[in-house]
Amino acid sequence: MNFFSLFKRKLIYSIKKKKLIDKDNFKSTSLDELFHHYGSDKANLFKISGKKGHGYSKFYENKLEKFKNKKINILEIGSYAGASAAAFVKYFSDVKVFCLDINISNFIYKSKNIDVHGIDIKDEIIVIDTLKKIYNLNQINNFDIIIDDGSHNLSDILLGIKFFFRHLKKEGIFIIEDFKHPNYYEYNRNIDHILIDEILKNINEKKFFSSDIITEDFQSSLFESVEKIETFKGNLSDSDICFLSKKWII
């Protein structure tokens, strides 16, 4: 993504009228209802099309229950229109959601608890600079929850692990949505590399794998720091989600 395309999308985002959810009267204790209300495909039913969504809401509620009433920070990679970010703001009692997306011109929601950044995660220097900016302005030093719901291209999922897992707090959770898209779709398998489900198996078994993106040193770090890996099947044939829990002591 070139500089001018990113600049144009940021400009559109800055002038685009958005829905202020802080004054939204819709309330629910159900994350599925919140996902549905704001139009996220994480819901059981996708509001925009009326068809089945991925149905990830039940897994999110179960795995993230421990954060419900804590002060937390969420990093979301691939936010599109901001539907899930809006739902998280309404669901958690004290949360700040930091959204990274290559095309923030699609973003339609606004909140004092949502912070949006238009970046291409392939650019490691921009990623580092953006995270430094987030940390400095918000006086935080890592995230409780990191969600990768980006392109689902194999290369981008790998870069997501490489760039962002180290920024997860101890006892935090790293989530990858649709992690098996490279298994199902040729266009998502955009590089010659071991697939994500195989990587997860190797991390679980502490077995090194060949990769020009995830170095052996970083693999060793993952072996030591990942406490648990859980994968779940959603509503659709291509709905797969995984949760990597980070240990308290590494």
Side-chain angles (χ1 to χ4, degrees):
M1 177 61 61
N2 64 54
F3 169 81
F4 294 105
S5 295
L6 278 170
F7 177 79
K8 180 182 176 181
R9 292 173 175 186
K10 289 178 183 180
L11 181 62
I12 293 171
Y13 168 79
S14 67
I15 62 177
K16 184 176 183 177
K17 188 175 180 180
K18 303 172 194 70
K19 300 175 185 177
L20 181 62
I21 66 168
D22 297 340
K23 295 183 179 179
D24 184 347
N25 291 325
F26 184 81
K27 294 181 180 179
S28 176
T29 58
S30 164
L31 190 51
D32 185 65
E33 288 180 4
L34 289 164
F35 281 149
H36 176 75
H37 176 77
Y38 290 110
S40 171
D41 63 359
K42 293 174 173 58
N44 278 307
L45 188 66
F46 192 25
K47 186 177 183 179
I48 295 173
S49 66
K51 297 179 180 178
K52 273 187 177 182
H54 287 298
Y56 292 149
S57 48
K58 56 183 174 288
F59 309 124
Y60 270 102
E61 284 203 15
N62 179 262
K63 301 309 301 176
L64 305 185
E65 184 181 7
K66 68 178 183 177
F67 300 108
K68 185 78 167 63
N69 297 307
K70 295 180 179 180
K71 183 174 182 176
I72 62 168
N73 298 300
I74 296 176
L75 179 67
E76 185 179 54
I77 306 151
S79 299
Y80 192 61
S84 55
F88 289 135
V89 166
K90 292 290 187 173
Y91 181 72
F92 292 103
S93 60
D94 190 356
V95 64
K96 189 75 177 278
V97 185
F98 300 91
C99 301
L100 308 183
D101 201 289
I102 198 169
N103 187 6
I104 59 175
S105 66
N106 294 311
F107 221 90
I108 62 173
Y109 295 108
K110 182 180 179 181
S111 168
K112 67 180 186 298
N113 294 317
I114 295 176
D115 186 17
V116 182
H117 299 266
I119 70 167
D120 184 348
I121 71 157
K122 294 180 184 67
D123 191 328
E124 185 173 9
I125 293 173
I126 296 297
V127 168
I128 292 169
D129 287 346
T130 301
L131 291 173
K132 283 181 180 177
K133 181 180 177 182
I134 288 172
Y135 290 159
N136 291 337
L137 291 177
N138 296 275
Q139 297 184 329
I140 62 173
N141 62 356
N142 275 335
F143 303 96
D144 300 273
I145 300 164
I146 298 178
I147 302 165
D148 181 354
D149 189 18
S151 71
H152 313 312
N153 288 337
L154 181 56
S155 62
D156 288 343
I157 299 174
L158 292 166
L159 290 176
I161 296 169
K162 176 183 177 180
F163 293 159
F164 299 108
F165 188 83
R166 68 185 77 248
H167 295 279
L168 186 67
K169 287 183 181 178
K170 295 170 184 177
E171 293 196 310
I173 298 180
F174 192 97
I175 302 161
I176 309 173
E177 293 195 19
D178 305 326
F179 71 93
K180 291 185 74 173
H181 273 211
N183 299 60
Y184 306 137
Y185 306 113
E186 197 67 40
Y187 62 84
N188 288 124
R189 195 184 307 150
N190 64 332
I191 58 172
D192 183 16
H193 194 283
I194 183 174
L195 296 171
I196 302 303
D197 56 336
E198 299 173 84
I199 288 175
L200 297 176
K201 184 174 184 292
N202 284 348
I203 292 172
N204 208 33
E205 296 176 356
K206 296 181 171 25
K207 288 171 58 177
F208 288 101
F209 51 89
S210 176
S211 174
D212 54 1
I213 297 175
I214 310 295
T215 65
E216 282 203 3
D217 283 346
F218 189 50
Q219 289 179 44
S220 293
S221 174
L222 289 171
F223 297 162
E224 294 303 314
S225 61
V226 174
E227 180 175 32
K228 186 191 300 183
I229 298 174
E230 296 174 282
T231 63
F232 301 96
K233 191 74 183 174
N235 291 338
L236 308 177
S237 61
D238 62 355
S239 299
D240 302 272
I241 188 169
C242 70
F243 295 79
L244 287 77
S245 302
K246 195 170 188 178
K247 291 179 183 177
W248 170 243
I249 299 175
I250 60 173

